[in-house]
Amino acid sequence: MGYFSQRKKHARENLFMVVSLSVVAIIYSILLLAGQDNFFTAFLRRWQFHFYLFNIFLLLYTLWHGKIVYSVLAALLLMFNYGSLAKTARLFFNDTSDSTLAFNVVYKKGGQNYENILNAKEVLLRRKGKIALSPHAEASFMSFEKYDQVITLVNLDFSKISKKELPTAFANLEQFVKRQDEPVVIVGDFQLPAWAPLYRNFLSETGLQVKNRVLFTNGKDYFKFFVVPSINVLGFDNIAVRRLKFMPESKSFDIKLVF
């Protein structure tokens, strides 16, 4: 490669790094300064984890090319976004535990009655029913006892309700959780990522935590990278995930929880 060709190549690389870092910095600034999301900030928020992954690529790219200043900027941006995401989400690893007290859940988007739990040994059903959360959203719940521990399990699917109903649905779900005297586990598609303000406020008010890593699936495909990671398992400190895998043949999640 000739001298001028090398200069053009290096100029293109520098331009890519400058533009990319500038765009990422602007996006993070907008998300930092935004209060309740509008249409534009909600769009950016839904793809915030993907920006984080792109930020990792930028850090590696700048290090590969020996651009120390750009690498430092990329690292600072990466740490800032990690702090924002990790407040309410687990990015790459499930919350695990060595406990031997476990129960299995098979979650499938849509209707679910959790017969697999009722058919398990040493399980005593306490109550079950439906929770009306908004005009077009409801959740199924059941309280069962296993190993002398009562747990309320809630399943929901917000993926098809309108965004206008989400605040009402989250508010009513929050009230339901607060009324329970036993640990609550929620499995479902919340339509929003865990770092969205509405979702984040729900977690803060209830004390629930996301127990699973970011899942790149829409509940239909095993892996779908360009999807908002909105399917989560929520629980309190005493709940952890031993196993969580998607089964494409049945389009359901095989989940083993321990407490």
Side-chain angles (χ1 to χ4, degrees), residues 138-192:
E138 64 177 16
S140 302
F141 79 93
M142 64 176 292
S143 296
F144 64 93
E145 182 177 341
K146 187 171 185 179
Y147 306 127
D148 298 321
Q149 173 67 65
V150 178
I151 296 173
T152 293
L153 179 64
V154 180
N155 129 266
L156 54 82
D157 183 1
F158 288 169
S159 62
K160 295 182 179 179
I161 69 172
S162 69
K163 291 181 174 58
K164 292 181 180 179
E165 288 188 41
L166 284 176
T168 301
F170 272 97
N172 287 326
L173 184 61
E174 175 188 323
Q175 293 305 312
F176 175 83
V177 173
K178 288 181 175 179
R179 288 197 299 267
Q180 308 313 303
D181 295 324
E182 62 276 345
V184 176
V185 174
I186 304 178
V187 185
D189 188 332
F190 293 83
Q191 192 181 143
L192 300 173

Side-chain angles (χ1 to χ4, degrees), residues 79-99:
M79 288 188 291
F80 169 79
N81 199 24
Y82 175 81
S84 175
L85 294 170
K87 285 180 181 178
T88 50
R90 303 186 63 86
L91 302 188
F92 301 108
F93 302 99
N94 298 325
D95 182 14
T96 61
S97 169
D98 295 329
S99 174

